[in-house]
Amino acid sequence: MTSDALMNNYGTRKITLTRGQGSWVWDDQDRRYLDAISGIAVCGLGHAHPVVTRAIAEQAATLVHCSNLYNIPVQEALAEQLRSISGLSKLFFCNSGAEANEAAIKLARLFGHSKGVDQPTIIVMENAFHGRTMATLSATGNRKVQAGFEPLVGGFVRAPHNDLDSLHTIAKNNRNVVAILVEPIQGEGGIRVPADNYLPGLRDICDQYDWLLMLDEIQTGNGRTGQYFNYQHANLLPDVVTTAKGLGNGVPIGACLAGNKAADLMQPGSHGTTFGGNPLACAAALATVSTILDENLCQRAATMGNYIKQRLVERLADHPRVVEVRGQGLMLAIEMSEPCPEMVAEAAAKALLINVTAQSVIRLLPTLIISEDEADQLVQILGELITRG
């Protein structure tokens, strides 16, 4: 079914999904698909997880919405849990990753003005993706996302990803810089994993120039790469972290977390939201976060990610159509030697849901609960598609 009542920003959609269970979804013809993107890194616990379903039902029967003019116990419980996990000090809840990044951008500007910088500027990276609101698309390093929406929001300068030397050059030539905003692994940009010294190097540079290190963990957070947050692989603490996607396992919620350097920049009236941090979303997120911890799903993401990557390497690494198999945890990519957007439909025809980003990169974001049998099916279907000639 398609309706012309909807704007055409998503193009023609050929599959109508009606239900899900674990790593699987079903369409309106009762055909089953292995969901290897889990709603683009959203449903980490799988579809219809009973703990999340129960939390939503119980909260919906109690109190769905409460204005942020009042205390919200479940919001405070979630904040305490995320603070404990992250090592950061304070949080702001919103509804999405883009809103979380908007909050981070506003924190950077407040930080800059507090230092007497009249034109606070944030360094962002080439091929980055930070969202589709006006400020976040301006920060995004993809012309396709920005086209038609000019004039863009100012206050950003761009640097090559995974290039520490370029940041020192910017520092020497631009005294308005107050922060770096970066994805620990670029997602939309093609699952680009930087060198091991990149995040520690960014931390050192931000300390040297008194900048905020702001990490966009919208996609990498919530266990996806084998730690709860990706920066925990590098044993460092950023100043600001944003997350969303897997936080509510499908219920919209985002968060902007701040360390001591930025935690008290927001004051009453400086920022807000009607729906962010509402009881229903926080109950879902609290159940999701607790399940990730209780079932040790960060470690499972690391284990199953290594398993799938190794199987893909064994099957595809020497094939001439494959440039590289890469990724961390359950954030994986197969870079092809040529554009391959048609593979999304071809995989769906074989009951596998995947995504192609950056024109030639097959992006895999399976659930954190994917089994070995399901992982083997994923590798088998992709292997057949890629090696068929």
Side-chain angles (χ1 to χ4, degrees):
M1 180 182 74
T2 58
S3 170
D4 62 6
L6 296 170
M7 292 186 184
N8 193 34
N9 50 307
Y10 298 110
T12 302
R13 293 174 283 189
K14 297 181 179 178
I15 297 175
T16 301
L17 298 178
T18 56
R19 62 189 173 95
Q21 186 71 49
S23 295
W24 298 87
V25 289
W26 284 258
D27 68 13
D28 57 350
Q29 305 301 308
D30 208 30
R31 186 169 187 230
R32 190 175 77 150
Y33 302 82
L34 177 58
D35 185 0
I37 51 174
S38 57
I40 310 187
V42 168
C43 296
L45 302 185
H47 299 277
H49 193 282
V51 174
V52 180
T53 300
R54 185 165 56 249
I56 293 171
E58 290 177 355
Q59 190 61 51
T62 306
L63 184 67
V64 170
H65 176 73
C66 174
S67 166
N68 284 299
L69 295 173
Y70 307 99
N71 295 319
I72 304 174
V74 68
Q75 180 190 90
E76 295 178 17
L78 178 61
E80 291 289 350
Q81 192 167 41
L82 289 173
R83 178 163 71 174
S84 175
I85 294 169
S86 68
L88 299 175
S89 303
K90 295 185 180 180
L91 296 85
F92 168 79
F93 286 116
C94 48
N95 306 288
S96 67
E99 288 180 63
N101 283 334
E102 286 275 350
I105 291 166
K106 292 177 80 169
L107 282 177
R109 291 193 170 191
L110 286 172
F111 176 70
H113 286 297
S114 74
K115 295 173 40 171
V117 178
D118 291 334
Q119 299 292 324
T121 298
I122 302 170
I123 298 176
V124 290
M125 304 303 158
E126 295 175 358
N127 298 315
F129 182 84
H130 296 296
R132 295 181 184 274
T133 63
M134 279 309 304
T136 57
L137 73 84
S138 299
T140 289
N142 182 335
R143 182 62 193 141
K144 184 178 178 182
V145 173
Q146 299 169 341
F149 298 115
E150 298 85 353
L152 302 179
V153 174
F156 300 102
V157 294
R158 204 163 300 282
H161 181 241
N162 198 22
D163 182 344
L164 295 172
D165 291 340
S166 67
L167 302 173
H168 288 290
T169 301
I170 291 173
K172 292 175 183 175
N173 293 284
N174 191 334
R175 295 185 178 277
N176 290 324
V177 173
V178 297
I180 295 173
L181 174 62
V182 62
E183 300 158 276
I185 298 174
Q186 289 191 333
E188 292 285 332
I191 314 295
R192 301 288 177 183
V193 183
D196 289 343
N197 69 342
Y198 186 56
L199 286 186
L202 293 179
R203 180 68 276 174
D204 290 343
I205 289 171
C206 286
D207 290 341
Q208 179 179 347
Y209 296 108
D210 192 27
W211 299 343
L212 295 178
L213 176 57
M214 307 198 302
L215 300 184
D216 176 343
E217 295 238 21
I218 306 302
Q219 195 164 148
T220 54
N222 306 297
R224 171 69 39 194
T225 70
Q227 293 279 356
Y228 196 91
F229 290 109
N230 184 270
Y231 66 81
Q232 292 167 330
H233 289 287
N235 194 31
L236 57 79
L237 205 57
D239 299 302
V240 176
V241 174
T242 56
T243 192
K245 285 193 177 290
L247 181 56
N249 207 54
V251 176
I253 183 170
C256 177
L257 300 81
N260 292 335
K261 203 169 179 177
D264 294 319
L265 292 168
M266 292 287 187
Q267 296 297 314
S270 59
H271 195 47
T273 167
T274 297
F275 296 109
N278 68 74
L280 188 69
C282 287
L286 192 59
T288 300
V289 175
S290 297
T291 302
I292 291 172
L293 298 179
D294 293 345
E295 299 186 5
N296 201 20
L297 294 181
C298 298
Q299 180 57 50
R300 181 170 180 78
T303 300
M304 291 306 299
N306 288 335
Y307 178 78
I308 295 172
K309 187 162 65 172
Q310 184 59 37
R311 292 290 317 278
L312 289 170
V313 168
E314 292 168 358
R315 182 73 186 269
L316 300 170
D318 295 330
H319 194 277
R321 294 181 70 196
V322 175
V323 175
E324 185 183 23
V325 176
R326 59 174 177 262
Q328 187 173 30
L330 287 169
M331 188 174 181
L332 299 168
I334 305 167
E335 182 173 354
M336 304 293 289
S337 59
E338 57 191 11
C340 58
E342 74 283 356
M343 290 197 69
V344 173
E346 293 171 354
K350 292 182 175 294
L352 176 68
L353 301 185
I354 62 169
N355 172 251
V356 170
T357 189
Q359 291 296 311
S360 60
V361 178
I362 299 171
R363 178 166 51 166
L364 302 174
L365 303 161
T367 67
L368 307 186
I369 61 167
I370 189 171
S371 68
E372 283 198 9
D373 285 346
E374 291 164 344
D376 290 342
Q377 292 180 56
L378 186 162
V379 173
Q380 180 181 347
I381 294 170
L382 277 179
E384 290 173 357
L385 284 175
I386 291 171
T387 62
R388 64 191 170 181

